[in-house]
Amino acid sequence: MSDEEDVMQKARTRFDDLCRALNMDEEASTEAWKSYESMSRNFTLEGNELHWLGCALYVACRSSVPTVGKGTAEGNYVSLTRILRCSEMSLIEFFSKLRKWQDMTNLPQDFRQSTDRLERNFTVSAVIFKKYVPIFKSIFKAPSEEPPRVHRSRKQRRHPCTVSEVFNFCWVLFVHAKGNFPMISDDLVNSYHLLLCAFDLVLTNALMCNARKDLLNPDFKGLPEDFNNKDYRPSAGHFCFIQQLCELHDGLVLEAKGVKEHFWKPFIRKLFHKRILRGKEDSLTGFLDPMNFGDSFLSLSRLYEEHVLATGSLDERIFTGEGANENIGTPGPCLCEGMENQDSTTYRLSTNIPALALKVSTPLTGRRYIQEVRLSSPLSSAMKSLGRLHTLLSGTKHGPSAKLTETLRGCARDPSGVIRQRLKEMFDIYSQHYEDSGVDRKVMEKELALKYFHLAEALYYRILESIIEREKMILGDTDLSCILEQDIFHRSLLACCLEIVTFSYRPPGDFPNVINIFQLPAYHFYKVIEVLVRSEQGLFREVVKHLNQVEEQVLESLAWTSDSPLWQSLHSAKVPSCQEVMPPQYLEQNEETNTGSIPLTPVKSGPDLRTNSIFKGVSPSPTSLQDRYSSPPTGGFRRRLFVDPVEGEISVTSTSSSAPQTSIPKTAQASIVTAIPAGQTVFTVTTNNGQTMTIPLQGIANESGSITLIPVQMGGATLQSLSAQTLTGTLAIQSPVTRPAAKPASSSLRKGSLSLFFRKVYHMASVRLRDLCAKLDISSELRRRIWTCFEYSVVHCTNMIKDRHMDQLLMCAVYVMAKVTKEDRSFQNIMKCYRSQPQASSDVYRSVLISGRSQASITSDPNKQSSAADSSQDP
């Protein structure tokens, strides 16, 4: 028997033992073993083979199976928790291995989406459980303070519930409620408010229940003032502690009360009606009574187990069970441990692992303006973001303001009716998308969709008003009917507002699903992002980071799909080079580029922004909406998102090697249209509105180091003798530096929406390439050659990027140019450095389009696709 056969025989033995432990049915076990055998032949499955067998069994279990009289179920009712326990795998290890298993087996998209939802639900619960323990400790007494249980006779079998039992009961009540609302089960904000509702209910029952005052922490600030009196009796009527809980634990009162009325109360009433919870149905109390608690807890746990098995969900009681730290994979807060032991650096770092999926990493292009805060809580960020959104919309009504209404009526063609009809159509599409097939849940799902859309609609009208005001500042009294009739602009703006609302409730948002719902091309959608960010100054920093990330997703891949309108634009216009779209002051200058041997490359970052910018990282831009949405060149856009010149700044460049680059204050506009001899020293003054003034210079350096200018003859025209003081005000011009003659630069940059798109693409690519080269220790000379290879691919072989990812071209350019220059860098090392970038995704290098429009893994080997399953390969 060969070594390979011996390994497979041992694996088969372990697999059979695993199936017996799980009581697995024959059909699922056969399917799982066939899948494992196939993957073992084609991949090197490193690590514990029992983990891979567990992944194979889970996938087989989640396949639809027929049931008697009810069509199909989502699986064969084998618990994921049991699979993990029997395969000796932690939850975090499971998600990591399962992602790779999905890639290797090429599972359908529906299965991947269900897995993503499962992981996201776990992540939300993990973040909320970190808040659950301290909130519980603030409301209830610590278990150590509980009096010992009194021995009772056989006739008195009902014991009052302990604090530990209440701790477990409250968590099960919360996770069961959360699992019954699919639309908010992965919604961080609403799930947290659902937790506060659970605390509110249990706290109310503790106050109303006879002799259960001993459960509560007397120092809890939300208790009635006379609670500590010996003769305290609860007052008649209903208690509500939502406001106190929100004030003490960073909740939003209006949001929490909305969740309580529309979700929590109907759900709890059903539990009382079905006698899952025992007590008084009219007041929703009594389940903490010794006669009711045991049956209530048992029935609730049994109902939750049925839900978990039926839906294939994770049993979230794992957080409160024994060995929770080992089962999850990271240390978590414990009810019985002191909080002082949980504030160590190791604890904070390890417990942040599940929360990484909810955090928005600052893109490389934005790290100059917004610093990365690694240890911030996703929950606190979400609450601040949503709080800022409510502040923005406070005082707004449902519909356009009086000022916006008047502005729209003042247009040559009033677009108000078209806007209302468009919003109605988009609402119908959005609500239809989120309607659930279940009759009981359909109303609640639609209510939540309605809430999201109405918030987005209010934000849409607010931002539309700001955009119109900004357009008037740029265009003056020009009629805006043409701009306001841009259907794609309005749809994109509303979709972007919906994404902001969704992100505020459910970080990290729902992109690109939001544009798929409305069938918006990504290439057109991205154009509204910068307009929105510039027009609305009150957006929370995390929202700006998210929108920056959304824009980069479009630039790197979504705009390059085969059905993108970008390709239609390229039929009538060629792809511009970097030098044709980037302002000269944003291009790297060196000796080789001056001689024309190497194309100009973008600099690392542009000029510093001034402290009086409107928004951190955002300054006024003279570009109008018409310029952004026009394919033909019509406008003078000057900078990318977050790096535009401050209002009033004029860029001065030289088209000759002998004139220095500098900045001067705005001067009177002038224009002389005449031929300038080659090699002539000139100043080119560019204003914000795109006008230029080219001044030919001849001069002699005087004793003070400045230049005395003399008249110049140009094609028969004589310029008046001008002094440097007259031309530049107080600017002292230094002696020119002699350099080799350079190739004359283009008199003006290419303009229009297509040029703006490629300017952003080139800037993003250059930032990522610089970061990659720095980590690979690649010299500046080789980096410039890599850029030349990349730029040539984009300009002359544009189809190469169709249905591919920009980062794939960058990594290939690095590998190829390092190879041909004998400075080899292994592709494995390139991928390792790439994975440290915030936008990195394993799909970029695991699934690559090859000829014939088929996918292949770039880590594959002709003989065996090894290392694709290596646990160390993912970020």
Side-chain angles (χ1 to χ4, degrees):
M1 182 181 291
S2 65
D3 292 341
E4 187 173 349
E5 290 176 347
D6 185 49
V7 170
M8 289 302 296
Q9 185 62 42
K10 290 181 180 178
R12 179 69 199 197
T13 302
R14 299 190 72 181
F15 177 78
D16 291 339
D17 293 341
L18 182 60
C19 289
R20 279 192 293 272
L22 294 169
N23 196 23
M24 189 68 62
D25 62 278
E26 185 177 353
E27 182 179 354
S29 60
T30 302
E31 182 182 345
W33 178 251
K34 286 182 179 178
S35 177
Y36 178 80
E37 272 190 316
S38 176
M39 294 306 103
S40 298
R41 285 193 298 267
N42 295 299
F43 294 88
T44 300
L45 303 178
E46 299 188 359
N48 191 335
E49 63 184 13
L50 200 58
H51 294 177
W52 297 112
L53 291 170
C55 290
L57 280 172
Y58 175 77
V59 172
C61 288
R62 298 323 307 160
S63 301
S64 295
V65 294
T67 59
V68 179
K70 293 185 179 181
T72 60
E74 294 184 33
N76 62 354
Y77 293 89
V78 175
S79 167
L80 170 60
T81 307
R82 287 182 59 212
I83 293 178
L84 297 181
R85 187 181 298 115
C86 294
S87 58
E88 302 171 4
M89 181 166 37
S90 72
L91 195 55
I92 290 180
E93 284 179 320
F94 167 72
F95 285 126
S96 176
K97 288 279 199 306
L98 186 61
R99 280 194 297 268
K100 296 165 189 171
W101 188 264
Q102 290 175 156
D103 291 335
M104 291 185 291
T105 55
N106 196 24
L107 292 176
Q109 192 63 28
D110 289 345
F111 188 93
R112 293 171 184 260
Q113 289 175 355
S114 66
T115 304
D116 290 341
R117 284 194 300 270
L118 180 69
E119 184 174 7
R120 186 178 170 83
N121 288 341
F122 157 71
T123 304
V124 169
S125 296
V127 171
I128 288 178
F129 188 73
K130 289 175 66 176
K131 294 284 288 185
Y132 178 76
V133 172
I135 295 176
F136 186 90
K137 284 187 172 183
S138 71
I139 299 174
F140 297 94
K141 288 182 177 179
S144 58
E145 299 177 14
E146 279 190 312
R149 273 195 168 175
V150 180
H151 178 72
R152 295 174 180 266
S153 65
R154 292 184 178 180
K155 292 183 179 180
Q156 297 175 313
R157 293 182 180 179
R158 304 287 184 173
H159 290 270
C161 56
T162 64
V163 173
S164 298
E165 289 173 332
V166 173
F167 177 82
N168 292 324
F169 174 84
C170 189
W171 179 252
V172 173
L173 186 63
F174 161 68
V175 295
H176 182 51
K178 174 174 168 285
N180 271 268
F181 302 119
M183 194 168 180
I184 68 172
S185 61
D186 60 350
D187 181 330
L188 183 59
V189 172
N190 281 327
S191 293
Y192 179 64
H193 289 142
L194 207 63
L195 176 69
L196 296 184
C197 291
F199 277 124
D200 171 65
L201 179 67
V202 177
L203 174 57
T204 300
N205 271 266
L207 280 174
M208 300 292 290
C209 182
N210 295 330
R212 293 285 59 199
K213 179 180 175 180
D214 59 300
L215 290 173
L216 300 174
N217 181 0
D219 297 328
F220 178 58
K221 296 179 181 179
L223 292 174
E225 294 181 359
D226 57 342
F227 175 78
N228 290 319
N229 295 341
K230 292 183 179 180
D231 56 348
Y232 168 78
R233 291 292 181 272
S235 59
H238 295 283
F239 284 97
C240 181
F241 296 94
I242 288 294
Q243 184 165 349
Q244 294 94 318
L245 289 170
C246 288
E247 291 172 354
L248 293 171
H249 300 288
D250 305 320
L252 300 173
V253 178
L254 290 178
E255 290 289 330
K257 287 185 175 181
V259 169
K260 181 177 179 179
E261 290 299 322
H262 297 287
F263 293 92
W264 181 256
K265 277 188 175 181
F267 173 74
I268 296 299
R269 284 197 180 98
K270 285 183 180 180
L271 294 182
F272 271 96
H273 182 71
K274 295 178 180 179
R275 295 191 56 77
I276 303 299
L277 295 180
R278 311 292 176 87
K280 300 176 183 178
E281 185 176 349
D282 55 341
S283 60
L284 305 182
T285 59
F287 56 75
L288 288 185
D289 188 278
M291 299 300 295
N292 295 327
F293 181 79
D295 294 335
S296 298
F297 195 6
L298 186 63
S299 299
L300 182 65
S301 300
R302 187 182 297 117
L303 185 64
Y304 179 64
E305 287 173 4
E306 292 175 0
H307 170 78
V308 167
L309 291 173
T311 59
S313 305
L314 171 69
D315 188 343
E316 295 179 357
R317 292 176 298 180
I318 189 175
F319 291 99
T320 60
E322 294 183 4
N325 297 351
E326 293 76 14
N327 292 335
I328 295 172
T330 59
C334 176
L335 177 65
C336 301
E337 292 178 2
M339 293 300 293
E340 64 275 2
N341 297 327
Q342 298 171 16
D343 293 331
S344 64
T345 303
T346 303
Y347 168 77
R348 293 198 309 270
L349 292 176
S350 58
T351 51
N352 273 340
I353 294 175
L356 291 178
L358 299 182
K359 293 191 66 175
V360 180
S361 297
T362 305
L364 289 176
T365 54
R367 291 195 170 177
R368 186 177 171 216
Y369 311 104
I370 304 177
Q371 296 298 317
E372 188 80 3
V373 182
R374 296 188 180 276
L375 296 180
S376 62
S377 165
L379 184 59
S380 63
S381 295
M383 289 298 174
K384 290 177 183 177
S385 178
L386 187 59
R388 183 73 64 86
L389 179 63
H390 283 305
T391 302
L392 284 179
L393 300 180
S394 61
T396 59
K397 62 177 184 177
H398 181 63
S401 65
K403 182 179 179 181
L404 178 59
T405 302
E406 183 181 352
T407 302
L408 296 177
R409 288 176 180 171
C411 296
R413 298 179 297 276
D414 185 0
S416 302
V418 178
I419 289 176
R420 285 194 298 270
Q421 181 61 30
R422 182 186 296 113
L423 291 178
K424 183 179 181 303
E425 293 174 0
M426 295 184 74
F427 170 72
D428 292 339
I429 295 172
Y430 186 73
S431 58
Q432 181 65 34
H433 176 79
Y434 281 105
E435 279 189 0
D436 194 89
S437 58
V439 178
D440 293 338
R441 298 176 184 171
K442 184 180 294 185
V443 175
M444 295 180 182
E445 301 287 352
K446 197 163 186 177
E447 282 183 1
L448 203 54
L450 180 67
K451 176 183 176 181
Y452 283 8
F453 194 90
H454 282 172
L455 286 173
E457 185 178 356
L459 185 61
Y460 162 84
Y461 277 120
R462 175 189 169 92
I463 294 177
L464 180 61
E465 184 176 338
S466 300
I467 289 173
I468 291 175
E469 291 178 359
R470 187 168 172 272
E471 289 297 298
K472 286 184 175 180
M473 291 177 60
I474 298 174
L475 302 176
D477 296 330
T478 306
D479 182 64
L480 300 177
S481 298
C482 182
I483 298 172
L484 295 177
E485 289 173 352
Q486 289 266 9
D487 180 73
I488 191 67
F489 159 69
H490 288 282
R491 292 182 182 274
S492 299
L493 180 59
L494 181 65
C496 197
C497 292
L498 263 174
E499 179 62 20
I500 291 174
V501 172
T502 306
F503 171 79
S504 299
Y505 281 95
R506 301 167 55 198
D510 200 26
F511 189 82
N513 189 42
V514 67
I515 62 174
N516 295 333
I517 292 173
F518 299 113
Q519 298 181 346
L520 292 172
Y523 174 66
H524 290 320
F525 172 79
Y526 101 95
K527 300 174 186 178
V528 83
I529 295 176
E530 183 177 356
V531 179
L532 186 151
V533 172
R534 291 185 182 283
S535 300
E536 183 47 72
Q537 305 171 27
L539 295 177
F540 187 57
R541 64 189 296 275
E542 295 296 312
V543 173
V544 177
K545 283 167 56 176
H546 176 61
L547 292 179
N548 191 184
Q549 196 176 66
V550 166
E551 184 185 65
E552 289 200 356
Q553 288 183 53
V554 176
L555 298 177
E556 68 192 13
S557 60
L558 297 180
W560 300 99
T561 58
S562 53
D563 58 348
S564 172
L566 172 63
W567 301 106
Q568 299 175 5
S569 301
L570 293 178
H571 284 322
S572 57
K574 70 172 186 176
V575 177
S577 66
C578 180
Q579 192 172 356
E580 289 176 315
V581 296
M582 293 291 271
Q585 65 270 30
Y586 275 75
L587 295 175
E588 187 178 44
Q589 300 292 335
N590 56 76
E591 296 297 326
E592 290 182 330
T593 56
N594 285 330
T595 59
S597 61
I598 295 181
L600 299 175
T601 59
V603 295
K604 184 175 183 180
S605 58
D608 290 335
L609 294 173
R610 298 181 182 176
T611 56
N612 59 354
S613 296
I614 290 179
F615 190 85
K616 187 172 184 180
V618 181
S619 55
S621 171
T623 309
S624 67
L625 273 178
Q626 189 172 357
D627 297 333
R628 295 178 189 276
Y629 282 88
S630 63
S631 291
T634 58
F637 184 85
R638 297 297 300 169
R639 301 285 175 90
R640 67 179 182 86
L641 178 63
F642 303 143
V643 192
D644 275 64
V646 179
E647 189 71 33
E649 179 186 287
I650 302 180
S651 166
V652 179
T653 61
S654 172
T655 56
S656 169
S657 60
S658 62
Q661 293 188 6
T662 183
S663 295
I664 66 173
K666 183 178 287 187
T667 60
Q669 296 178 358
S671 177
I672 299 178
V673 182
T674 180
I676 299 176
Q680 174 67 54
T681 301
V682 300
F683 273 120
T684 300
V685 182
T686 305
T687 64
N688 275 348
N689 60 10
Q691 295 180 333
T692 60
M693 178 172 63
T694 303
I695 308 170
L697 300 178
Q698 282 186 5
I700 302 173
N702 56 30
E703 296 177 355
S704 64
S706 61
I707 302 176
T708 301
L709 305 177
I710 60 177
V712 179
Q713 296 289 337
M714 289 177 34
T718 303
L719 292 177
Q720 297 294 328
S721 180
L722 300 174
S723 67
Q725 184 75 14
T726 305
L727 281 173
T728 63
T730 58
L731 176 66
I733 306 177
Q734 300 300 318
S735 302
V737 180
T738 303
R739 292 181 182 173
K743 182 179 179 180
S746 174
S747 59
S748 62
L749 297 175
R750 287 182 57 174
K751 301 171 184 176
S753 61
L754 190 64
S755 297
L756 169 61
F757 172 78
F758 279 98
R759 182 176 308 165
K760 290 176 178 287
V761 167
Y762 285 136
H763 174 79
M764 180 190 71
S766 68
V767 171
R768 293 182 180 181
L769 178 61
R770 283 178 177 274
D771 179 79
L772 200 57
C773 290
K775 292 170 180 174
L776 289 167
D777 195 23
I778 288 177
S779 64
S780 298
E781 179 182 356
L782 179 55
R783 173 176 51 78
R784 288 193 290 269
R785 296 184 185 278
I786 293 170
W787 176 260
T788 303
C789 174
F790 169 78
E791 184 183 5
Y792 184 90
S793 302
V794 173
V795 175
H796 300 287
C797 309
T798 315
N799 279 337
M800 186 184 297
I801 199 174
K802 182 180 289 188
D803 290 324
R804 292 190 175 94
H805 197 287
M806 184 71 66
D807 291 344
Q808 293 170 351
L809 264 68
L810 283 172
M811 287 191 286
C812 289
V814 171
Y815 179 77
V816 169
M817 295 309 297
K819 197 79 171 176
V820 299
T821 56
K822 309 301 182 184
E823 297 186 28
D824 284 5
R825 300 293 191 279
S826 68
F827 209 91
Q828 185 177 12
N829 197 27
I830 293 172
M831 287 192 296
K832 179 181 178 181
C833 295
Y834 166 73
R835 284 193 292 271
S836 66
Q837 295 187 342
Q839 84 287 348
S841 169
S842 62
D843 290 339
V844 172
Y845 52 83
R846 291 190 186 279
S847 181
V848 184
L849 181 68
I850 55 177
S851 59
R853 288 292 180 263
S854 60
Q855 301 287 328
S857 170
I858 65 175
T859 59
S860 62
D861 182 84
N863 298 318
K864 194 162 187 175
Q865 298 172 2
S866 59
S867 79
D870 185 358
S871 60
S872 65
Q873 296 299 308
D874 265 352

